[in-house]
Amino acid sequence: MSAEISAFPKRPARDPAPDEAGEDRLVLDDYLPYRLSVASNAVSRLIARAYEDRFGLTIPQWRLIAVLAEDGAMTPGAAVARTVLDKVTISRAAQALVKRRLVARVAHEGDGRSHRLSLTEAGLRLHAEIAPLALAYEAALLSGLAPGEVAAVKALLKRLEAAAVRLSGEPAAD
Amino acid sequence: MSAEISAFPKRPARDPAPDEAGEDRLVLDDYLPYRLSVASNAVSRLIARAYEDRFGLTIPQWRLIAVLAEDGAMTPGAAVARTVLDKVTISRAAQALVKRRLVARVAHEGDGRSHRLSLTEAGLRLHAEIAPLALAYEAALLSGLAPGEVAAVKALLKRLEAAAVRLSGEPAAD
DNA sequence: CCTAGATGGTTTCAGTTGATACTAGTTCCG
DNA sequence: CGGAACTAGTATCAACTGAAACCATCTAGG
C-alpha cells in the first residue's frame, strides 16, 4: 500500500555528462523551451508590473505605443504585423488608449473599413516618459552580460523565433 | 478635426547606429523583453500544439510529468518549485493526470495535509514516448546553431531569469 | 450597376489563468 | 492539552486570451 508505486531509477545508469551538446536524455533544466518560457515569464512579469503600476498600461498597450512612436501612424492591421500580437489584442489595446486620449484614430481616406492610429500629444509625452524607464529595465536585466553577449542573445532569439515559425508552418513531419 | 492630430518626426534626427551596445533610443526590434516574449511565444505555440495534438497534454501537464520522471515522486509543493508554475496550475494539472491514471497520489505519511505524486506505469510509458519527440523538437529548433551557441543561449537565459527575479524582489528602485 | 466573394476590424463567447479566499491539518507555546 | 498562528492544497471568481462569428466596406465578374 504505502510501498513504492512506481520503482524507477533516479539516475538511469548514467553520470551527468557535463556539457554534451547532443543530449539524448531529457533534462528539464537544460530543455530549451522550458528555459525560454521561464526566462520570458520572469521578465514579462517584471516589466508588466512596472508599466501597470506606474502608467496603468498593459504590455500590449505599451507595445502599440512603442510602434506608433517608432514608425508613426499606421492601421491596426499594420500594428498587428509590427507587434506580433493578435488582432483582437490590438483592437482592444487601441480602444483603451483612444479612451485615454493617448491615441487618435482618423478615418483612412482610401478605405472606409479601415482607419489610422496615431499617438496624440499626450501619447507622445507618455512615450517619452516611459522609454527611458524601459531602457533602464533592459539595462538592469543585461547588466551582468558583456556587450558581445547582449548582441549574441538578441540575435540568437531571433533565429530561434524564425526556426519555430518555420516549424509551425510545416505539417509537423511525421 | 480631420487635420493631422500629431505631427512628429519619423526618424528623430539620428541614423540607425548598427550595433551600438548602450542603445539610448528605444527600438522595439532590439528590445530584449520584446525579443524574449516573441521568441518564447513562437516556441511555446509550436510545442503546445504538438503535445496537445498527439497526447492531449497541456504544457503544465507535460512539465509535471517531466519532473516526476526526472526526480521521482514529490509533493505538489515540490513540483511547484521544480516547474516554476503556479500552485493552482500544478493542482489542476495533477488532477487531470490522476484522472487519466498517468499519475497516482499517495498520502504523505508524516503530513496529513499533503501527499505525494508519482507517475504510474502508464505515465512512465507516456513519458518514454514523449521524451524523444521533445528532444527532436529541441534539436530542430537549435539546428541552425553551433554547439557552443546552444550552450551559450541556455546559460544566458538562466542569467536573464536570475536578473529578472532579483529585480522583481527589489522594491523597484525609485 | 448589382451581386458574390474577399478583406479590415470589432464583438462574442468559451476556455484558461492567477489572485484571493477557504479548508484541513500541523506546529508552536503558554 | 488547547488554542493562535502557520502551511499545503483546493475552490472560487474576475480578468485575460484568442477562435470564430459578425458587420461594414471594398473589389471583381457578369
Side-chain angles (χ1 to χ4, degrees), chain A residues 6 26 28 30-32 34-35 37-38 49 63 70 82 119 134 138 144-145 154 159 161 168, chain B residues 6 28 30-32 34-35 37-38 49 62-63 70 82 119 134 138 144 154 158-159 161 168:
Chain A
S6 56
L26 187 65
L28 195 62
D30 288 335
Y31 186 55
L32 183 84
Y34 170 77
R35 282 262 70 86
S37 167
V38 169
R49 202 146 52 79
R63 267 202 217 170
E70 204 173 313
R82 192 68 173 70
L119 290 179
E138 185 187 34
L145 311 193
K154 288 179 180 177
R159 285 159 71 186
E161 179 202 342
S168 286
Chain B
S6 57
L28 195 62
D30 288 334
Y31 186 56
L32 183 84
Y34 171 76
R35 282 262 69 87
S37 166
V38 169
R49 202 146 52 80
W62 157 244
R63 266 201 217 172
E70 204 174 314
R82 191 67 173 71
L119 290 178
E138 185 187 35
K154 288 180 180 176
K158 279 190 202 174
R159 284 160 70 185
E161 179 202 341
S168 286

Side-chain angles (χ1 to χ4, degrees), chain A:
Chain A
M1 242 108 49
S2 60
E4 308 289 12
I5 295 282
S6 56
F8 52 87
K10 294 286 174 81
R11 289 201 170 281
R14 189 169 191 278
D15 291 86
D19 57 281
E20 189 174 345
E23 193 74 67
D24 65 342
R25 201 164 72 81
L26 187 65
V27 177
L28 195 62
D29 272 340
D30 288 335
Y31 186 55
L32 183 84
Y34 170 77
R35 282 262 70 86
L36 199 51
S37 167
V38 169
S40 176
N41 285 347
V43 170
S44 285
R45 188 166 10 252
L46 173 70
I47 301 283
R49 202 146 52 79
Y51 294 169
E52 171 62 41
D53 288 354
R54 305 188 180 204
F55 306 103
L57 291 178
T58 65
I59 287 198
Q61 287 167 15
W62 157 242
R63 267 202 217 170
L64 179 56
I65 288 176
V67 299
L68 290 176
E70 204 173 313
D71 296 356
M74 67 180 71
T75 64
V80 165
R82 192 68 173 70
T83 56
V84 199
L85 291 171
D86 193 83
K87 67 178 184 167
V88 178
T89 308
I90 287 291
S91 176
R92 284 194 272 244
Q95 250 176 317
L97 294 176
V98 166
K99 196 168 296 168
R100 284 178 63 182
R101 312 275 176 198
L102 297 170
V103 162
R105 27 166 46 126
V106 291
H108 193 113
E109 68 294 349
D111 189 335
R113 294 166 301 185
S114 188
H115 52 259
R116 290 168 77 75
L117 300 169
S118 61
L119 290 179
T120 61
E121 288 298 327
L124 279 172
R125 277 197 302 278
L126 186 62
H127 176 262
E129 196 181 345
I130 298 179
L133 179 72
L135 289 170
Y137 267 106
E138 185 187 34
L141 285 169
L142 293 170
S143 63
L145 311 193
E149 290 179 319
V150 171
V153 74
K154 288 179 180 177
L156 289 170
L157 287 173
K158 279 189 201 175
R159 285 159 71 186
L160 286 174
E161 179 202 342
V165 169
R166 183 164 35 73
L167 290 171
S168 286
E170 286 170 14
D174 212 353

